[in-house]
Amino acid sequence: MTKPATTAGARPEVGAQPPPMGAEACGLPAEDVVRLLRVDPGNGLTAGEAAARAAVHGPNRMAEAARRPEWLRFLDQFRNWLIGVLLLAAVVAAAVGEVEDALVITVVLQINAVLGYLQERRAERSLEALRRMLVPTARVRRDGVEHVVGADLLVPGDVVLLEAGDRVPADGRLMVAESVEAAEAALTGESQPVAKSTAPVGDDHLERVPLAERTSMLFMNTALTRGRAEVIVTATGMRTELGAIAHALRTGAEPPSPLQVQLDSLGRRLALLSGIAVVAYALTGLLRGEGLSDLALRAVALAVAAIPEGLPAVLALTLALGVHRMARRGAVVKRLAAVEALGSATVVCSDKTGTLTLNQMTARAVWAGGRLYDVTGEGYATCGTLRTGVTGGGDSDLRRALLPFAVCNDAHLTGGGDGAGGDGFVGDPTEAALVVLAAKGGLDADRLRTELPRTGELPFDAATKYMATFHAEPDGRTRVLVKGAVDVLLDLCRAVLTEDGERPLDDERRRAEVLAVTERLSEAGLRVLGAAEALVDRPPSANALSGLTLLSIAGLADPPRPQAGEAMALCRTAGVSVKMITGDHAGTAAAVARELGIQGGRRHRRRTGRDAGGGAR
């Protein structure tokens, strides 16, 4: 645990407010960030200071684009070449007395414009209703007291208190971090939680530290998966990393859809062909000696006849039907042309984590007591079983093998446990998956933690790559339960649990068998974790942990969404090529691709950042 930084001195006057901080905050000690933002972390800002800073920095939310007037949005429906040509044809027809044609064209164009305008308005109202449903809050320290305030009221210098399961409401520098890990997939695409600490990263005078490496910072809209943190807010709203992404999306020019490009091209061609036809007819008529008044009337009639005045209405009605069908499937389409643009796609580049997969770690296999079990079920629902082709054997060995996964664990399931993947959890996703695995093996983690109270622990550390908990036994000894990287646990183990009971790990053959199991699971694209235990006379220190018995090895993965395989098949049938983009290990990505039906081969092969000419950041 890192103690909160403190700063001495009088509070600043509310008229002189410190500026927000950006990436440089990660390279500064917490004490320097506190000093620059002029706040006492023990008391937080006063109500007056918070109000003054809010007046300077504005609300902590994404800026919305200036709303376009309704009449301009209606006129936008007329902004393409084909509509322009039809408008010109209507004017000319009215000028030469063809009132009926002029009215028909005008009515058709009005129908097209009204359909497009109403669809955009309806879509915007739906999106606005969704935004109003989400009202995030934050727990802050102000005037020395904890308050729960709306996240949009946060300002630079606020002290935010976070626990596992909380969503980070603004960018901030960590002042206190107790075993903190954060899920940053929304920003970096990394499916695994990132370990955080209060230690500065890099140097504020050196090159900008990549976002994924700023381990002393928490970022807006990410989530704490483990631990407890106190953060001093360094940036809010559009000044956050999420705001930078929102700004890039807002300022980027929106390209026309394929349909709009084709309609513009058609409009130009029709205008050119009509002009050529009119000129040719006029020249021919003049050579034949026709009167100018009759010739002009026939030429205009020819020009109007060449324009397909019913085409915009047919297109608008067809696209409106497509929008209606998509709405019935829960999709909000903002513009009519987007329906056709979706149908014109030939290549789909999709993120893996949370898009093609559930973003829910799930145990797919476990080697326990010398047997390899397949694990059924998806997500964090406990409905599922452990299946093996071997009959007989002991349930007691299986329960013993899964015990560390249930007890040496800080995650808690929050659902009823019988949902089809819809149950929630508090804590680290990987630890939650291990609790679910234990439940499928018949272990109740909450009951076991009550029966085996924790008397001490060695928290997970990136250097040791394991977590250990200590539990008092009735005979006065201490049971040590450990989970972590298999290669690390093997060096700490003296024995392994097999079908024939405990056997010593004193020869290379038995050690090679364990490593072969690990390799087999890894080649299947699974993340591998081991579990071990020991009975000792007194709790050991981190450097003295040894004499363990290896009990089990779990293989975990972020499973594909049930609908993803069907979607891949539909894409192939439609001639759409799918590319999966991920920051995961290439072997894991290849395994997910195989399961989804994204075929490999000479034309479909995996490419890493190095293949493309640059390393992954």
Side-chain angles (χ1 to χ4, degrees), residues 23-68:
E24 71 274 10
C26 70
L28 295 173
E31 294 82 359
D32 289 353
V33 175
V34 167
R35 177 176 51 81
L36 291 171
L37 291 173
R38 289 180 283 187
V39 61
D40 176 4
N43 293 314
L45 298 174
T46 65
E49 288 172 336
R53 297 190 185 196
V56 173
H57 301 292
N60 177 37
R61 55 172 175 257
M62 298 297 106
E64 298 181 1
R67 190 172 183 84
R68 193 169 175 81

Side-chain angles (χ1 to χ4, degrees), residues 351-515:
D351 177 44
K352 178 183 76 70
T353 305
T355 304
L356 296 177
T357 63
L358 293 169
N359 197 20
Q360 297 178 349
M361 294 301 294
T362 303
R364 310 302 291 270
V366 61
W367 180 82
R371 297 180 181 179
L372 187 62
Y373 295 83
D374 291 326
V375 184
T376 64
E378 303 289 352
Y380 301 110
T382 56
C383 50
T385 58
L386 276 63
R387 301 183 304 192
T388 179
V390 180
T391 58
D395 281 346
S396 60
D397 283 346
L398 178 60
R399 293 172 63 85
R400 178 188 174 192
L402 298 179
L403 182 65
F405 290 145
V407 179
C408 182
N409 196 314
D410 292 324
H412 297 270
L413 301 182
T414 58
D418 56 355
D423 293 278
F425 69 94
V426 174
D428 179 80
T430 299
E431 288 199 328
L434 295 176
V435 172
V436 172
L437 170 62
K440 292 175 181 178
L443 277 67
D444 185 332
D446 291 335
R447 181 178 60 81
L448 288 171
R449 292 172 191 176
T450 301
E451 295 175 353
L452 297 171
R454 188 180 301 183
T455 59
E457 68 176 291
L458 297 175
F460 178 84
D461 186 273
T464 60
K465 296 184 179 180
Y466 65 77
M467 172 184 178
T469 57
F470 309 133
H471 310 269
E473 290 289 305
D475 60 4
R477 293 188 295 173
T478 298
R479 181 180 296 274
V480 181
L481 300 178
V482 187
K483 73 174 190 301
V486 177
D487 56 340
V488 173
L489 294 188
L490 275 176
D491 293 336
L492 303 177
C493 288
R494 61 167 182 77
V496 59
L497 182 63
T498 69
E499 292 184 81
D500 302 320
E502 289 189 24
R503 292 292 180 267
L505 271 173
D506 54 1
D507 62 77
E508 290 300 320
R509 180 184 62 82
R510 188 163 284 122
R511 188 183 184 90
E513 289 176 355
V514 174
L515 291 175

Side-chain angles (χ1 to χ4, degrees), residues 144-434:
V145 181
E146 292 184 11
H147 300 273
V148 176
V149 301
D152 60 333
L153 301 178
L154 293 180
V155 295
D158 259 325
V159 178
V160 179
L161 313 177
L162 298 166
E163 295 180 348
D166 290 344
R167 189 160 295 275
V168 182
D171 288 3
R173 175 65 164 85
L174 280 162
M175 297 187 302
V176 175
E178 294 182 354
S179 303
V180 172
E181 291 185 358
E184 297 183 343
L187 287 179
T188 65
E190 175 56 53
S191 61
Q192 298 298 325
V194 179
K196 299 287 185 174
S197 72
T198 60
V201 178
D203 191 308
D204 61 310
H205 298 295
L206 299 180
E207 184 180 355
R208 182 181 173 95
V209 179
L211 185 66
E213 298 176 15
R214 299 180 209 166
T215 53
S216 60
M217 302 284 293
L218 290 176
F219 301 105
M220 186 180 193
N221 212 40
T222 61
L224 225 65
T225 60
R226 165 187 267 182
R228 184 184 72 85
E230 292 188 12
V231 176
I232 183 168
V233 174
T234 56
T236 58
M238 295 299 290
R239 298 181 182 89
T240 63
E241 294 297 332
L242 186 66
I245 297 175
H247 177 72
L249 293 175
R250 281 181 52 200
T251 55
E254 184 177 356
S257 71
L259 178 61
Q260 291 171 322
V261 172
Q262 293 169 4
L263 288 177
D264 284 348
S265 176
L266 177 62
R268 292 189 183 95
R269 292 178 183 179
L270 286 175
L272 178 62
L273 291 175
S274 298
I276 293 173
V278 168
V279 170
Y281 181 78
L283 291 175
T284 302
L286 288 174
L287 292 175
R288 294 171 58 185
E290 296 183 13
L292 288 178
S293 60
D294 291 341
L295 183 61
L297 183 62
R298 293 192 185 98
V300 170
L302 175 62
V304 173
I307 305 300
E309 63 271 8
L311 180 59
V314 172
L315 286 173
L317 289 172
T318 303
L319 294 177
L321 289 174
V323 169
H324 179 68
R325 293 181 62 184
M326 294 187 70
R328 291 173 61 184
R329 299 192 176 201
V332 178
V333 180
K334 190 173 181 181
R335 298 168 56 223
L336 285 176
V339 178
E340 188 276 338
L342 181 62
S344 300
T346 57
V347 177
V348 173
C349 295
S350 174
D351 177 44
K352 178 183 76 70
T353 305
T355 304
L356 296 177
T357 63
L358 293 169
N359 197 20
Q360 297 178 349
M361 294 301 294
T362 303
R364 310 302 291 270
V366 61
W367 180 82
R371 297 180 181 179
L372 187 62
Y373 295 83
D374 291 326
V375 184
T376 64
E378 303 289 352
Y380 301 110
T382 56
C383 50
T385 58
L386 276 63
R387 301 183 304 192
T388 179
V390 180
T391 58
D395 281 346
S396 60
D397 283 346
L398 178 60
R399 293 172 63 85
R400 178 188 174 192
L402 298 179
L403 182 65
F405 290 145
V407 179
C408 182
N409 196 314
D410 292 324
H412 297 270
L413 301 182
T414 58
D418 56 355
D423 293 278
F425 69 94
V426 174
D428 179 80
T430 299
E431 288 199 328
L434 295 176

